[in-house]
Amino acid sequence: MNKTVVIFKRFERFWHWGQAALVLLLIVTGLELHGTIDLLGFGKSSHFHHFAGFIWAALVVLIFTWVFTTGEWKQFVPDMKGIDGVLRFYLYGVFVGEPHPHHMSPENKFNPLQRMAYLGVLFVLIPLQIVTGLIFFFFPELRAAGFIDHIGTVAVIHTFCAYSVIAFLVVHLYLITLGQKLSSHMKAMLSGKE
């Protein structure tokens, strides 16, 4: 008999889907600001990009506060135990129908590869993206105060981070399809239960 347990708490699901919506809006408006697409016009895209960026920054502060005050930070500490089985699964087992070697629990949500990826994304990539975005937004004031003269390096870092987030999103969307059913992994993030 399989037992249903709550894996992802309500706030985790809220911040996951909140970030997803904000990141998609930031990607679309960012691509428009770079001239890659033409959807809303530069002015509207700039407005929405700034608005979504500030909301995302506030959400990330809430996420970090929650992660560190609840002890959930432990979920992101890299753990190499079982990494060989997870690597074998993604390189071979998934193609021949083997079961995933990692079984989620409220205390151990992520497999070793997820822990490393989420640690890098949540605690390095996203903060770097937000900080460079804030430098962009406040560049005139920062330049007038003598803190920064040129924005070129910041622009390169911000753009690199943006494309890294897009790459993460593509891989993330692909990997959620690798459950027993196409919707298996999505179900846990919608209902919180596994």
Side-chain angles (χ1 to χ4, degrees):
M1 182 171 110
N2 291 339
K3 182 182 173 188
T4 301
V5 295
V6 174
I7 300 292
F8 298 107
K9 296 172 186 78
R10 191 174 294 139
F11 183 71
E12 286 174 289
R13 297 191 315 270
F14 164 75
W15 69 257
H16 177 271
W17 293 111
Q19 274 202 116
L22 290 166
V23 165
L24 288 175
L25 180 58
L26 286 162
I27 288 170
V28 169
T29 56
L31 289 171
E32 182 144 19
L33 293 175
H34 277 266
T36 308
I37 62 174
D38 186 16
L39 209 61
L40 304 169
F42 187 88
K44 281 185 181 174
S45 283
S46 178
H47 174 75
F48 284 128
H49 197 79
H50 296 151
F51 179 77
F54 278 107
I55 298 294
W56 191 28
L59 180 59
V60 168
V61 169
L62 287 175
I63 292 166
F64 280 16
T65 301
W66 184 82
V67 164
F68 288 111
T69 59
T70 61
E72 286 292 319
W73 60 269
K74 296 172 191 161
Q75 298 285 349
F76 300 96
V77 174
D79 182 3
M80 294 299 132
K81 183 178 173 191
I83 196 166
D84 52 340
V86 172
L87 282 170
R88 183 185 183 286
F89 173 77
Y90 286 124
L91 293 173
Y92 172 75
V94 68
F95 301 108
V96 296
E98 290 181 1
H100 199 293
H102 176 78
H103 301 287
M104 284 193 297
S105 71
E107 300 78 29
N108 190 11
K109 297 174 189 175
F110 308 125
N111 70 51
L113 289 178
Q114 287 174 312
R115 284 175 177 253
M116 287 189 290
Y118 295 152
L119 178 72
V121 169
L122 188 59
F123 296 102
V124 178
L125 184 62
I126 290 174
L128 189 58
Q129 183 72 5
I130 290 171
V131 167
T132 56
L134 289 170
I135 293 170
F136 250 118
F137 186 80
F138 291 109
F139 176 65
E141 291 83 358
L142 292 169
R143 182 174 51 191
F147 288 114
I148 186 171
D149 288 326
H150 305 286
I151 200 76
T153 303
V154 173
V156 169
I157 295 169
H158 192 74
T159 303
F160 173 79
C161 288
Y163 282 108
S164 297
V165 168
I166 292 170
F168 170 80
L169 185 60
V170 169
V171 172
H172 187 67
L173 291 173
Y174 168 69
L175 291 176
I176 65 170
T177 67
L178 299 181
Q180 287 181 330
K181 294 180 189 172
L182 194 60
S183 63
S184 295
H185 293 311
M186 180 78 83
K187 186 176 139 189
M189 193 47 77
L190 288 171
S191 69
K193 298 174 184 173
E194 177 74 18

